[in-house]
Amino acid sequence: MYELFKNLGTWLTSGSQWAGPDGIGHRLAEHLQYSLLATLIAAAIGLPIGLLIGHTGKGAFVAINLASFGRALPTVGLVVLVFLAGGLSMLPVYVALVALAVPAIVTNTYAGMTAVDPDVRDAARGQGMRGHQVLFQVELPLALPLVMTGLRLALIQVVATATVAAYVSFGGLGRYVFDGLAQRDLVQVLGGAVLVAAVAIVLDLLLSSLQRLLFLPHARKDSRGGTPIRTARDPR
């Protein structure tokens, strides 16, 4: 075991391991590209759905259950299915990653919208605000902490699962896992797994810190001012 971790340290810190198209730096850039693009696509799908059902209160049961169904789909199985239907491309990877990310975004956005105090909505309508004004000027700002939590969870899940790109011969950090398994190179497999875990943890810490930085000062200000409107509470 000691020898394994010693070899892992050498593998991770070797200068040659970080250089070139097969180096860690290049694979990391590919992994982040897949993850960020898939999360952006998922956000473009999930945010409007969550905002709509949270604002109108209609279709919540169907949307939440469909989102949960997407979460239950086996990622590798979905990649293989789309791969067989569409051929060799990044499409199967993005379809699987988006299907994984959408549920977290939809459910957290919907939860944030439903957590808005109904009296606040009524007060906004009483001031003459129209439906879209209530949504974007009142409900969304109040729901934003939970919306950001959904985006954060979705990104972390996608980063941890983007290794499937290597399953259909593309890049990313999963390349080390699949190539290591094929070559019976345990150090390479472990190195790929450690890198993926490290990227997920670092991103989670960065986004969590950003979330606290953005919302905690407002929450403290509101509590000191004695306002009954619960604005940006830290979801954690």
Side-chain angles (χ1 to χ4, degrees):
M1 185 65 69
Y2 171 78
E3 192 67 25
L4 174 62
F5 282 101
K6 180 182 177 181
N7 292 335
L8 174 63
T10 303
W11 186 86
L12 289 171
T13 56
S14 171
S16 60
Q17 189 61 46
W18 286 81
D22 294 326
I24 294 175
H26 184 72
R27 295 303 185 196
L28 175 60
E30 290 177 330
H31 200 93
L32 291 175
Q33 176 189 335
Y34 303 155
S35 302
L36 292 174
L37 182 56
T39 305
L40 286 175
I41 296 172
I45 297 170
L47 283 176
I49 295 174
L51 292 174
L52 179 64
I53 63 177
H55 177 67
T56 63
K58 298 177 181 179
F61 178 80
V62 175
I64 296 299
N65 279 279
L66 284 176
S68 299
F69 174 74
R71 183 180 296 170
L73 288 173
T75 304
V76 174
L78 186 59
V79 168
V80 172
L81 180 63
V82 180
F83 170 73
L84 293 176
L88 182 62
S89 70
M90 276 297 297
L91 178 63
V93 177
Y94 284 124
V95 168
L97 295 179
V98 169
L100 178 69
V102 165
I105 296 173
V106 171
T107 54
N108 278 271
T109 302
Y110 173 69
M113 294 290 288
T114 56
V116 176
D117 193 333
D119 292 338
V120 176
R121 291 194 184 98
D122 293 339
R125 294 190 180 99
Q127 292 177 357
M129 286 188 175
R130 298 180 180 273
H132 69 279
Q133 291 175 316
V134 174
L135 172 60
F136 291 108
Q137 297 181 26
V138 178
E139 293 176 320
L140 180 56
L142 294 173
L144 201 54
L146 278 175
V147 173
M148 287 194 63
T149 297
L151 292 171
R152 191 181 95 219
L153 292 174
L155 178 59
I156 300 311
Q157 289 175 344
V158 168
V159 167
T161 314
T163 53
V164 296
Y167 190 77
V168 285
S169 302
F170 287 93
L173 296 175
R175 188 80 270 155
Y176 299 122
V177 176
F178 286 96
D179 288 350
L181 289 172
Q183 300 166 12
R184 298 181 182 274
D185 186 347
L186 185 57
V187 172
Q188 188 176 182
V189 174
L190 186 58
V194 167
L195 288 170
V196 172
V199 171
I201 291 171
V202 169
L203 285 176
D204 188 38
L205 291 174
L206 289 175
L207 293 176
S208 179
S209 299
L210 176 62
Q211 202 169 346
R212 289 193 179 94
L213 181 66
L214 290 175
F215 297 116
L216 271 182
H218 298 289
R220 289 169 182 166
K221 181 179 178 181
D222 292 334
S223 64
R224 290 171 185 172
T227 175
I229 298 176
R230 294 171 295 174
T231 56
R233 297 178 300 170
D234 183 26
R236 293 169 74 95

